[in-house]
Amino acid sequence: MFSHESHPGYEPTLPDQPSPALQFDQLDQLPGRDDPPTIELGPPLPEPGTPTYPYPAPAPDEPPGPLYVVGDVHGYLEELLAELRHQGLIDADGHWAAGRARIWFLGDFTDRGPDGIGVIDLVMQLAAEAAAAGGYCRALMGNHELLFLGAARYGDEPVQSTAGTASFLAAWRLNGGQQHDLDRLQAHHISWLSRLPAIAIEDGHLLLHSDTTAYLEYGESIPDVNDAVHKLLADEGVDEWWDCFRRFTKRFAFRGEAGPMAVHELLDTYGGTRIVHGHSPIPYLTGAVHADDGAPPHIPGPYVYADDLAVAMDGGVTMEGRLLIARLPVN
Ligand SMILES: [Mn+2]
């Protein structure tokens, strides 16, 4: 059974109710998605000329700062800047103002919205500024990172797909790819995106982009999964990329009666006491996507479900929802 009762703001959803998410599901999986293999190279170095900021050097015994997560951005740079400012994490000029705070972006920076490269540039900038301040700004690799990297690397090269002949470029365009993002994609973006981890754990929160158990197919520990994805991106061909992309595009594993079991499977393998994920917009998870009056979906905040074991962070900014930033733990 769903356990929405303890989460004010979200109406209970009948588990077996036909969901409009089906259409979304099919669209999102259209030509398939591969994972670009990546190599773990560590945090990016500041670009030459990056100014230093006057933060005090952290003492070694100082406790870590507060932990935040950011849901899917999908090119909505202005909304991201506004929410980061609202939370006091950046200043009026868009620079890190959060000291030793820790921020994890949950992936899907580009596609659908107007300025995907602007989003990547901002996150890279904040990563450098946060590190200088004794905090950090890190990011997971979402399926749209795999899709975007695949479009850039493999273009129209045909891939094996159950949906017939497909290519990364066609799939990327069908899933909101913006030509101006591809035109502005530079080597340092590719390098940074290709190094992002697929999974992380922070303060007992297992952080994933997608609400799927497909991560288990890549390894039994967090380093194993991240290494496997990075190695695949570095060494494998278009069909392996595509397969990885498709696996990390799956969704809804934590919904319904079997949801808590799926969450436990991941927590038992990788550690942590709760999963925090993006990828599936909250209106689709709750089934509240299409209001009868056509009103935008109501997104009061992160969506806690699966017996309180999972927190969904994609507020559906691409569908007139919200770009969510939350401080963990979420109640
Ligand atoms: Mn996604």
mmCIF file of all heavy atoms in Angstrom, residues 1-4 13-16 252-264 305-307 309:
data_model
loop_
_atom_site.group_PDB
_atom_site.id
_atom_site.type_symbol
_atom_site.label_atom_id
_atom_site.label_comp_id
_atom_site.label_asym_id
_atom_site.label_seq_id
_atom_site.Cartn_x
_atom_site.Cartn_y
_atom_site.Cartn_z
ATOM 1 N N MET A 1 0.839 -1.206 0.000
ATOM 2 C CA MET A 1 0.000 0.000 0.000
ATOM 3 C C MET A 1 0.871 1.252 0.000
ATOM 4 O O MET A 1 1.949 1.268 0.541
ATOM 5 C CB MET A 1 -0.887 0.005 1.244
ATOM 6 C CG MET A 1 -2.040 -0.963 1.200
ATOM 7 S SD MET A 1 -3.186 -0.585 -0.128
ATOM 8 C CE MET A 1 -3.834 0.998 0.451
ATOM 9 N N PHE A 2 0.361 2.263 -0.608
ATOM 10 C CA PHE A 2 1.040 3.549 -0.527
ATOM 11 C C PHE A 2 0.875 4.093 0.886
ATOM 12 O O PHE A 2 -0.114 3.839 1.552
ATOM 13 C CB PHE A 2 0.400 4.540 -1.507
ATOM 14 C CG PHE A 2 0.945 4.407 -2.897
ATOM 15 C CD1 PHE A 2 1.218 3.161 -3.425
ATOM 16 C CD2 PHE A 2 1.160 5.526 -3.671
ATOM 17 C CE1 PHE A 2 1.702 3.040 -4.697
ATOM 18 C CE2 PHE A 2 1.645 5.402 -4.948
ATOM 19 C CZ PHE A 2 1.913 4.165 -5.464
ATOM 20 N N SER A 3 1.794 4.837 1.303
ATOM 21 C CA SER A 3 1.678 5.428 2.624
ATOM 22 C C SER A 3 1.838 6.930 2.496
ATOM 23 O O SER A 3 2.841 7.490 2.827
ATOM 24 C CB SER A 3 2.754 4.859 3.551
ATOM 25 O OG SER A 3 4.024 5.112 3.013
ATOM 26 N N HIS A 4 0.806 7.546 1.978
ATOM 27 C CA HIS A 4 0.884 8.987 1.768
ATOM 28 C C HIS A 4 0.283 9.744 2.936
ATOM 29 O O HIS A 4 0.380 10.948 2.983
ATOM 30 C CB HIS A 4 0.096 9.401 0.529
ATOM 31 C CG HIS A 4 0.546 8.711 -0.700
ATOM 32 N ND1 HIS A 4 0.649 9.346 -1.907
ATOM 33 C CD2 HIS A 4 0.934 7.455 -0.908
ATOM 34 C CE1 HIS A 4 1.065 8.490 -2.805
ATOM 35 N NE2 HIS A 4 1.243 7.342 -2.231
ATOM 36 N N THR A 13 -2.919 8.310 -3.574
ATOM 37 C CA THR A 13 -3.185 7.837 -4.922
ATOM 38 C C THR A 13 -3.518 6.355 -4.855
ATOM 39 O O THR A 13 -2.871 5.607 -4.146
ATOM 40 C CB THR A 13 -1.938 8.016 -5.809
ATOM 41 O OG1 THR A 13 -1.531 9.367 -5.730
ATOM 42 C CG2 THR A 13 -2.240 7.655 -7.240
ATOM 43 N N LEU A 14 -4.525 5.945 -5.577
ATOM 44 C CA LEU A 14 -4.843 4.525 -5.611
ATOM 45 C C LEU A 14 -3.730 3.797 -6.348
ATOM 46 O O LEU A 14 -3.346 4.178 -7.439
ATOM 47 C CB LEU A 14 -6.173 4.308 -6.341
ATOM 48 C CG LEU A 14 -7.382 4.925 -5.625
ATOM 49 C CD1 LEU A 14 -8.629 4.748 -6.470
ATOM 50 C CD2 LEU A 14 -7.589 4.282 -4.255
ATOM 51 N N PRO A 15 -3.212 2.736 -5.756
ATOM 52 C CA PRO A 15 -2.069 2.054 -6.346
ATOM 53 C C PRO A 15 -2.341 1.518 -7.750
ATOM 54 O O PRO A 15 -1.469 1.533 -8.593
ATOM 55 C CB PRO A 15 -1.812 0.894 -5.388
ATOM 56 C CG PRO A 15 -2.490 1.270 -4.116
ATOM 57 C CD PRO A 15 -3.617 2.186 -4.465
ATOM 58 N N ASP A 16 -3.540 1.069 -7.996
ATOM 59 C CA ASP A 16 -3.799 0.426 -9.274
ATOM 60 C C ASP A 16 -4.479 1.353 -10.277
ATOM 61 O O ASP A 16 -4.910 0.932 -11.332
ATOM 62 C CB ASP A 16 -4.673 -0.821 -9.071
ATOM 63 C CG ASP A 16 -3.952 -1.846 -8.227
ATOM 64 O OD1 ASP A 16 -2.734 -1.994 -8.412
ATOM 65 O OD2 ASP A 16 -4.582 -2.446 -7.355
ATOM 66 N N PHE A 252 9.990 4.331 -11.500
ATOM 67 C CA PHE A 252 8.838 3.888 -10.711
ATOM 68 C C PHE A 252 9.071 2.604 -9.922
ATOM 69 O O PHE A 252 8.127 1.974 -9.464
ATOM 70 C CB PHE A 252 7.594 3.700 -11.595
ATOM 71 C CG PHE A 252 7.105 4.961 -12.250
ATOM 72 C CD1 PHE A 252 6.457 4.908 -13.480
ATOM 73 C CD2 PHE A 252 7.280 6.202 -11.644
ATOM 74 C CE1 PHE A 252 5.991 6.063 -14.086
ATOM 75 C CE2 PHE A 252 6.819 7.373 -12.245
ATOM 76 C CZ PHE A 252 6.174 7.293 -13.474
ATOM 77 N N ALA A 253 10.344 2.208 -9.723
ATOM 78 C CA ALA A 253 10.616 0.962 -9.007
ATOM 79 C C ALA A 253 10.194 1.028 -7.544
ATOM 80 O O ALA A 253 9.999 -0.008 -6.907
ATOM 81 C CB ALA A 253 12.098 0.613 -9.097
ATOM 82 N N PHE A 254 10.046 2.238 -6.997
ATOM 83 C CA PHE A 254 9.778 2.353 -5.564
ATOM 84 C C PHE A 254 8.299 2.623 -5.272
ATOM 85 O O PHE A 254 7.911 2.843 -4.130
ATOM 86 C CB PHE A 254 10.645 3.462 -4.952
ATOM 87 C CG PHE A 254 12.099 3.366 -5.328
ATOM 88 C CD1 PHE A 254 12.857 4.504 -5.531
ATOM 89 C CD2 PHE A 254 12.709 2.117 -5.500
ATOM 90 C CE1 PHE A 254 14.193 4.418 -5.890
ATOM 91 C CE2 PHE A 254 14.048 2.030 -5.867
ATOM 92 C CZ PHE A 254 14.789 3.181 -6.061
ATOM 93 N N ARG A 255 7.483 2.616 -6.326
ATOM 94 C CA ARG A 255 6.041 2.832 -6.142
ATOM 95 C C ARG A 255 5.348 1.520 -5.815
ATOM 96 O O ARG A 255 5.840 0.441 -6.128
ATOM 97 C CB ARG A 255 5.408 3.380 -7.430
ATOM 98 C CG ARG A 255 5.771 4.785 -7.757
ATOM 99 C CD ARG A 255 4.710 5.446 -8.636
ATOM 100 N NE ARG A 255 4.301 4.641 -9.778
ATOM 101 C CZ ARG A 255 3.529 5.090 -10.756
ATOM 102 N NH1 ARG A 255 3.099 6.341 -10.732
ATOM 103 N NH2 ARG A 255 3.204 4.300 -11.761
ATOM 104 N N GLY A 256 4.170 1.637 -5.261
ATOM 105 C CA GLY A 256 3.289 0.487 -5.096
ATOM 106 C C GLY A 256 3.737 -0.450 -3.992
ATOM 107 O O GLY A 256 4.626 -0.144 -3.195
ATOM 108 N N GLU A 257 3.098 -1.596 -3.958
ATOM 109 C CA GLU A 257 3.315 -2.529 -2.848
ATOM 110 C C GLU A 257 4.738 -3.054 -2.802
ATOM 111 O O GLU A 257 5.280 -3.331 -1.745
ATOM 112 C CB GLU A 257 2.334 -3.701 -2.959
ATOM 113 C CG GLU A 257 0.909 -3.293 -2.616
ATOM 114 C CD GLU A 257 -0.001 -4.506 -2.558
ATOM 115 O OE1 GLU A 257 0.514 -5.629 -2.339
ATOM 116 O OE2 GLU A 257 -1.212 -4.321 -2.734
ATOM 117 N N ALA A 258 5.356 -3.248 -3.978
ATOM 118 C CA ALA A 258 6.714 -3.794 -4.012
ATOM 119 C C ALA A 258 7.777 -2.713 -3.845
ATOM 120 O O ALA A 258 8.963 -3.025 -3.758
ATOM 121 C CB ALA A 258 6.938 -4.539 -5.330
ATOM 122 N N GLY A 259 7.355 -1.452 -3.784
ATOM 123 C CA GLY A 259 8.310 -0.355 -3.723
ATOM 124 C C GLY A 259 9.278 -0.423 -2.552
ATOM 125 O O GLY A 259 10.498 -0.360 -2.753
ATOM 126 N N PRO A 260 8.762 -0.568 -1.324
ATOM 127 C CA PRO A 260 9.674 -0.614 -0.177
ATOM 128 C C PRO A 260 10.692 -1.752 -0.273
ATOM 129 O O PRO A 260 11.843 -1.601 0.135
ATOM 130 C CB PRO A 260 8.727 -0.816 1.013
ATOM 131 C CG PRO A 260 7.430 -0.217 0.562
ATOM 132 C CD PRO A 260 7.339 -0.519 -0.912
ATOM 133 N N MET A 261 10.256 -2.870 -0.857
ATOM 134 C CA MET A 261 11.193 -3.990 -1.015
ATOM 135 C C MET A 261 12.330 -3.615 -1.967
ATOM 136 O O MET A 261 13.496 -3.951 -1.735
ATOM 137 C CB MET A 261 10.431 -5.205 -1.550
ATOM 138 C CG MET A 261 10.927 -6.520 -1.011
ATOM 139 S SD MET A 261 9.989 -7.896 -1.734
ATOM 140 C CE MET A 261 8.313 -7.277 -1.747
ATOM 141 N N ALA A 262 11.980 -2.927 -3.042
ATOM 142 C CA ALA A 262 13.007 -2.499 -4.004
ATOM 143 C C ALA A 262 13.969 -1.513 -3.353
ATOM 144 O O ALA A 262 15.190 -1.574 -3.571
ATOM 145 C CB ALA A 262 12.345 -1.874 -5.230
ATOM 146 N N VAL A 263 13.430 -0.617 -2.525
ATOM 147 C CA VAL A 263 14.306 0.325 -1.821
ATOM 148 C C VAL A 263 15.250 -0.432 -0.894
ATOM 149 O O VAL A 263 16.461 -0.179 -0.862
ATOM 150 C CB VAL A 263 13.475 1.348 -1.010
ATOM 151 C CG1 VAL A 263 14.400 2.231 -0.179
ATOM 152 C CG2 VAL A 263 12.611 2.194 -1.932
ATOM 153 N N HIS A 264 14.696 -1.392 -0.154
ATOM 154 C CA HIS A 264 15.525 -2.174 0.775
ATOM 155 C C HIS A 264 16.636 -2.917 0.044
ATOM 156 O O HIS A 264 17.755 -3.040 0.555
ATOM 157 C CB HIS A 264 14.660 -3.165 1.553
ATOM 158 C CG HIS A 264 14.033 -2.554 2.776
ATOM 159 N ND1 HIS A 264 14.783 -2.006 3.798
ATOM 160 C CD2 HIS A 264 12.735 -2.384 3.137
ATOM 161 C CE1 HIS A 264 13.981 -1.537 4.737
ATOM 162 N NE2 HIS A 264 12.727 -1.750 4.365
ATOM 163 N N TYR A 305 7.800 8.776 0.171
ATOM 164 C CA TYR A 305 6.898 7.652 -0.094
ATOM 165 C C TYR A 305 7.639 6.342 0.152
ATOM 166 O O TYR A 305 8.727 6.340 0.734
ATOM 167 C CB TYR A 305 6.345 7.745 -1.519
ATOM 168 C CG TYR A 305 7.343 7.522 -2.644
ATOM 169 C CD1 TYR A 305 7.231 6.419 -3.487
ATOM 170 C CD2 TYR A 305 8.394 8.406 -2.862
ATOM 171 C CE1 TYR A 305 8.129 6.208 -4.525
ATOM 172 C CE2 TYR A 305 9.295 8.198 -3.892
ATOM 173 C CZ TYR A 305 9.152 7.099 -4.718
ATOM 174 O OH TYR A 305 10.046 6.891 -5.738
ATOM 175 N N ALA A 306 7.046 5.239 -0.271
ATOM 176 C CA ALA A 306 7.629 3.904 -0.061
ATOM 177 C C ALA A 306 7.901 3.661 1.433
ATOM 178 O O ALA A 306 9.031 3.365 1.836
ATOM 179 C CB ALA A 306 8.895 3.708 -0.899
ATOM 180 N N ASP A 307 6.872 3.803 2.233
ATOM 181 C CA ASP A 307 7.011 3.630 3.681
ATOM 182 C C ASP A 307 8.070 4.562 4.258
ATOM 183 O O ASP A 307 8.840 4.183 5.159
ATOM 184 C CB ASP A 307 7.368 2.168 4.040
ATOM 185 C CG ASP A 307 6.226 1.208 3.741
ATOM 186 O OD1 ASP A 307 5.097 1.677 3.487
ATOM 187 O OD2 ASP A 307 6.476 -0.012 3.767
ATOM 188 N N LEU A 309 10.733 5.472 2.984
ATOM 189 C CA LEU A 309 12.094 5.053 2.655
ATOM 190 C C LEU A 309 12.649 5.780 1.438
ATOM 191 O O LEU A 309 13.835 5.675 1.141
ATOM 192 C CB LEU A 309 12.133 3.544 2.383
ATOM 193 C CG LEU A 309 11.879 2.641 3.589
ATOM 194 C CD1 LEU A 309 11.678 1.196 3.129
ATOM 195 C CD2 LEU A 309 13.049 2.732 4.559
#
